Amino acid sequence: MALNPPSPTPSMFKKKSSSNLSTAASYLSAVRAADARARAHGGTPTATPALSLSSSVTTSSEDTVLAEESDHEDNILYYPPIPPTSEQVFTTVHSEFGHCANSDYRYTSQHPQGVPVTPWLEQDPPYYILFTTYVSYIILICIGHIRDFFHKHFKPSTFQHLIPLQGYAPLNSDFDSFYTRRLKTRLDDCFSYPVTGVAGRTIVLLDRISHDFNVTFEPTGKRVRALNISSYNYLGFAQARGGCADAVEEGIKRYGVSACGTRLEGGSLDLHATAEGLVAKFVGMEDSLISSMGFATNSTIIPALVGKGCLVISDELNHASIRFGVRLSGANVRMFKHNDMADLESLLREVISQGQPKTHRPWKKILIIVEGLYSMEGTLVNLPRIMELKKKYKFYLFIDEAHSIGALGPHGRGVTDYFNIPPRSVDILMGTFTKSFGAAGGYIAGSKTLVDRLRLRGHTGAYAEAMTPPVLVQVIASMASIMGVSPSLPASFSPSSSSSSASTLRLTDSDGYEHPGPAPASSLPAWLDLPPALRDGSEGHDRLRRLAFNSRYLSRGLEKLGFITYGHVDSPIVPLLLFNPGKMPLFSRMMRSMETPIVVVVVAYPATPLVTSRVRFCVSAAHTKADIDLVLKACDEIGDVLDLKHRPGDRWPLEKIMANAIELVRMNE
């Protein structure tokens, strides 16, 4: 059937007057209907074209009601439209979640059974890169001190906050603020860039300019929509429309936006108990405790687990919240090299044989704290090896799954799911809702005895505010969408031996893998009505597989282009090393200046070592294969200009990478 070309319209984002899509559920139903009509006419809408924000060909005029509405359209500068492919049959913009019906662009995130975990090796650049990086910092430091000298003598007013004044000591010392004033300020235009809208597939940038070398910024009034590859929206649930958004809207109508509604003891809502039970089912633990802030989950719970006379063994690259919590606990702390299991075992032998300092008494307890997925390196914990050491040396294990929960594993249950390890063999699982679930807050999961004690001893319950109803509903809806909802107890389910009211039902796949099964309908609020694709878990499963494909494709593609990258191939965080500090703002600006603007996050000291400045690509299930192609194309062009391709080995041209994406993703399965 011949398709009519798109007709020009004043604004592609204006909602049609005949549109009656009042809810996100009806919006998604219309998308599915358009898909069905396209397939009936022989079309194969496999993907949204690469950020083509122009109207594309349609099979019927009624599909045009799917145009997206946006405020202040006249002030937004859209990048030049890219010609639509022959596969696209939609007029929807897909700015929040890209359409991709091609089943080949899917992959299951799972570690091959019986294959040892490859140790993480840091790739070093050529010596001239390291030399010029150090020289760059030396030049910046020297110029900074020269500027400080002249300012102190000729512009003393600019240093009043750094010198004693009227008997008061300065709040900020000259040395501590030097890096911020003389180095970071020069790069500030690529940090804290103002944006608006949800952290979906695309985002709107609020353009700004500085007239005083990045000391202050002024908005220009222009807004630019760009591809967003900088957010932790791993599964794409950070949407303003969809089944989860409708559930949150209904939750606001029932509970309001603050803590009100049907209360339980201690100032909690019935939603809090529901969310804690669902989290326990999702991660495969007996019980869980939720907190309104992810950072506070670690910093307030760790002091309730260990104290004086205890030992904490921490990975050297653990998050600041873990370090802060260990300091508050008063326990002794030792660190081992990042993901180095030989160093960890050597340290375990030393601390067990020597005991406590001075007295050499046995430790009251030994707690090892690691992260499932490290956000700056993109590396995965070597969990199989740690479990072997746990059986041998009898320590407690705490895993921070802030970035891995919902993003790794065939069922999205994190690193235990990814490595096919029973979750209850781990003592404590911690995670956050701010990444894969599009919400806020965190949780601690473990045995019921442990969680009950943490409710009394942890500072979170006593001093932190409770999570608000809209956030709770988002957590419940998104988590249930990943798990799927079982209306009744299937015959294939069997309760675990240590079942309780919060115990997790287990499901065994055809390959013998056992994992937490779908959430019983009784564990969700009775009024929660998810669309069928979310309720049966099919869309959540599809998002997990899309994320795994996008992660592997971007990581492998950058390697084949010759870039030095860190991290695991299945990690949705892909760091690309820039090294030289001067290349950070250039890379960020050049990505925003592409024909299709791309928003990235650059990271430098003190978040990373001084000479390993990097850009972190955060992949999402909301991205399409065409979006990843755009990122690879932009990196290929910028990499040649900034001299970033230093990886040894075989290199592929960009066209070969894009044409062989499926083979590249499935390589070394």
Side-chain angles (χ1 to χ4, degrees), residues 59-177:
T59 57
S60 63
S61 60
E62 59 185 294
D63 291 349
T64 58
V65 301
L66 298 181
E68 182 183 356
E69 182 180 21
S70 179
D71 296 332
H72 308 292
E73 294 297 332
D74 296 336
N75 293 330
I76 301 182
L77 300 179
Y78 298 101
Y79 33 73
I82 298 175
T85 66
S86 60
E87 298 172 330
Q88 186 187 14
V89 294
F90 297 107
T91 59
T92 50
V93 179
H94 299 297
S95 63
E96 294 181 3
F97 195 92
H99 175 77
C100 179
N102 192 335
S103 59
D104 291 332
Y105 298 151
R106 305 290 190 274
Y107 192 82
T108 300
S109 170
Q110 187 173 18
H111 182 73
Q113 297 301 307
V115 178
V117 179
T118 304
W120 179 67
L121 298 176
E122 183 174 325
Q123 182 72 44
D124 293 325
Y127 284 115
Y128 81 90
I129 294 295
L130 293 176
F131 175 77
T132 54
T133 300
Y134 281 113
V135 169
S136 298
Y137 275 108
I138 292 174
I139 293 175
L140 287 173
I141 292 173
C142 291
I143 294 178
H145 281 297
I146 294 173
R147 293 173 65 90
D148 280 358
F149 174 81
F150 283 100
H151 279 202
K152 288 179 181 179
H153 289 80
F154 299 103
K155 291 185 179 180
S157 59
T158 60
F159 276 81
Q160 288 185 358
H161 64 294
L162 298 175
I163 59 177
L165 183 65
Q166 298 179 355
Y168 288 95
L171 290 177
N172 298 304
S173 69
D174 185 25
F175 178 80
D176 292 339
S177 64

Side-chain angles (χ1 to χ4, degrees), residues 291-571:
S291 170
S292 59
M293 182 180 178
F295 189 99
T297 305
N298 276 333
S299 59
T300 61
I301 290 298
I302 292 178
L305 293 171
V306 291
K308 187 176 181 180
C310 301
L311 175 66
V312 174
I313 300 179
S314 175
D315 189 290
E316 66 177 350
L317 297 184
N318 274 346
H319 192 263
S321 61
I322 297 176
R323 295 169 177 260
F324 187 64
V326 173
R327 292 193 190 102
L328 290 178
S329 70
N332 290 76
V333 58
R334 297 288 298 272
M335 290 193 298
F336 64 96
K337 296 179 182 178
H338 176 55
N339 244 355
D340 190 332
M341 297 298 105
D343 186 55
L344 174 59
E345 184 171 13
S346 175
L347 180 59
L348 281 168
R349 291 186 179 186
E350 175 190 344
V351 297
I352 292 175
S353 62
Q354 296 298 321
Q356 299 186 39
K358 298 181 180 180
T359 63
H360 298 288
R361 293 177 180 175
W363 299 100
K364 293 181 180 179
K365 68 181 78 168
I366 298 177
L367 177 67
I368 290 185
I369 303 180
V370 294
E371 294 187 37
L373 172 60
Y374 292 84
S375 60
M376 289 297 168
E377 279 69 31
T379 52
L380 299 183
V381 62
N382 190 345
L383 190 56
R385 179 55 180 158
I386 288 184
M387 298 308 299
E388 294 177 4
L389 296 177
K390 187 176 187 297
K391 294 178 181 178
K392 183 176 182 180
Y393 295 101
K394 310 301 180 184
F395 53 79
Y396 294 102
L397 180 59
F398 182 113
I399 301 182
D400 181 339
E401 292 209 89
H403 290 268
S404 56
I405 191 66
L408 292 176
H411 312 94
R413 265 66 168 194
V415 290
T416 57
D417 188 20
Y418 181 83
F419 289 109
N420 192 13
I421 292 176
R424 297 195 185 187
S425 61
V426 179
D427 301 290
I428 306 157
L429 290 175
M430 177 270 175
T432 63
F433 306 120
T434 56
K435 280 79 177 179
S436 298
F437 305 101
Y443 68 85
I444 288 286
S447 65
K448 184 170 176 41
T449 303
L450 173 65
V451 173
D452 287 343
R453 179 175 177 83
L454 293 178
R455 295 184 193 276
L456 299 176
R457 296 291 302 274
H459 294 167
T460 302
Y463 301 108
E465 72 281 357
M467 293 177 66
T468 58
V471 177
L472 287 169
V473 175
Q474 173 69 19
V475 171
I476 294 172
S478 59
M479 192 169 288
S481 301
I482 302 173
M483 300 174 68
V485 181
S486 176
S488 60
L489 192 63
S492 59
F493 282 82
S494 60
S496 60
S497 58
S498 58
S499 62
S500 63
S501 59
S503 293
T504 304
L505 299 176
R506 315 295 293 186
L507 178 64
T508 302
D509 287 342
S510 58
D511 59 358
Y513 177 73
E514 187 179 273
H515 64 89
S522 58
S523 65
L524 303 178
W527 53 265
L528 185 63
D529 185 20
L530 294 174
L534 293 179
R535 194 171 187 84
D536 63 13
S538 59
E539 183 172 332
H541 179 67
D542 187 66
R543 293 189 183 210
L544 287 168
R545 301 186 70 227
R546 285 185 60 175
L547 173 63
F549 179 90
N550 292 340
S551 301
R552 293 176 70 92
Y553 179 38
L554 179 59
S555 178
R556 290 271 173 81
L558 291 175
E559 290 179 4
K560 289 300 182 181
L561 286 175
F563 292 98
I564 295 179
T565 60
Y566 283 175
H568 196 278
V569 67
D570 287 320
S571 167

Side-chain angles (χ1 to χ4, degrees), residues 3-18:
L3 300 179
N4 297 326
S7 58
T9 56
S11 175
M12 72 186 96
F13 285 90
K14 296 296 184 183
K15 185 176 290 185
K16 303 295 181 180
S17 58
S18 61

Side-chain angles (χ1 to χ4, degrees), residues 223-343:
R223 306 198 300 170
V224 181
R225 183 173 290 277
L227 174 64
N228 177 26
I229 194 163
S230 61
S231 300
Y232 294 143
N233 182 28
Y234 296 138
L235 292 183
F237 282 115
Q239 294 179 248
R241 61 180 65 187
C244 293
D246 286 343
V248 171
E249 182 179 354
E250 179 64 24
I252 292 176
K253 293 178 181 178
R254 290 175 177 270
Y255 293 92
V257 296
S258 59
C260 60
T262 305
R263 290 187 175 275
L264 301 177
E265 63 279 1
S268 299
L269 296 171
D270 54 339
L271 285 177
H272 289 88
T274 300
E276 289 180 343
L278 188 63
V279 169
K281 290 179 174 63
F282 182 77
V283 301
M285 289 292 196
E286 286 185 340
D287 203 357
S288 71
L289 168 67
I290 61 176
S291 170
S292 59
M293 182 180 178
F295 189 99
T297 305
N298 276 333
S299 59
T300 61
I301 290 298
I302 292 178
L305 293 171
V306 291
K308 187 176 181 180
C310 301
L311 175 66
V312 174
I313 300 179
S314 175
D315 189 290
E316 66 177 350
L317 297 184
N318 274 346
H319 192 263
S321 61
I322 297 176
R323 295 169 177 260
F324 187 64
V326 173
R327 292 193 190 102
L328 290 178
S329 70
N332 290 76
V333 58
R334 297 288 298 272
M335 290 193 298
F336 64 96
K337 296 179 182 178
H338 176 55
N339 244 355
D340 190 332
M341 297 298 105
D343 186 55

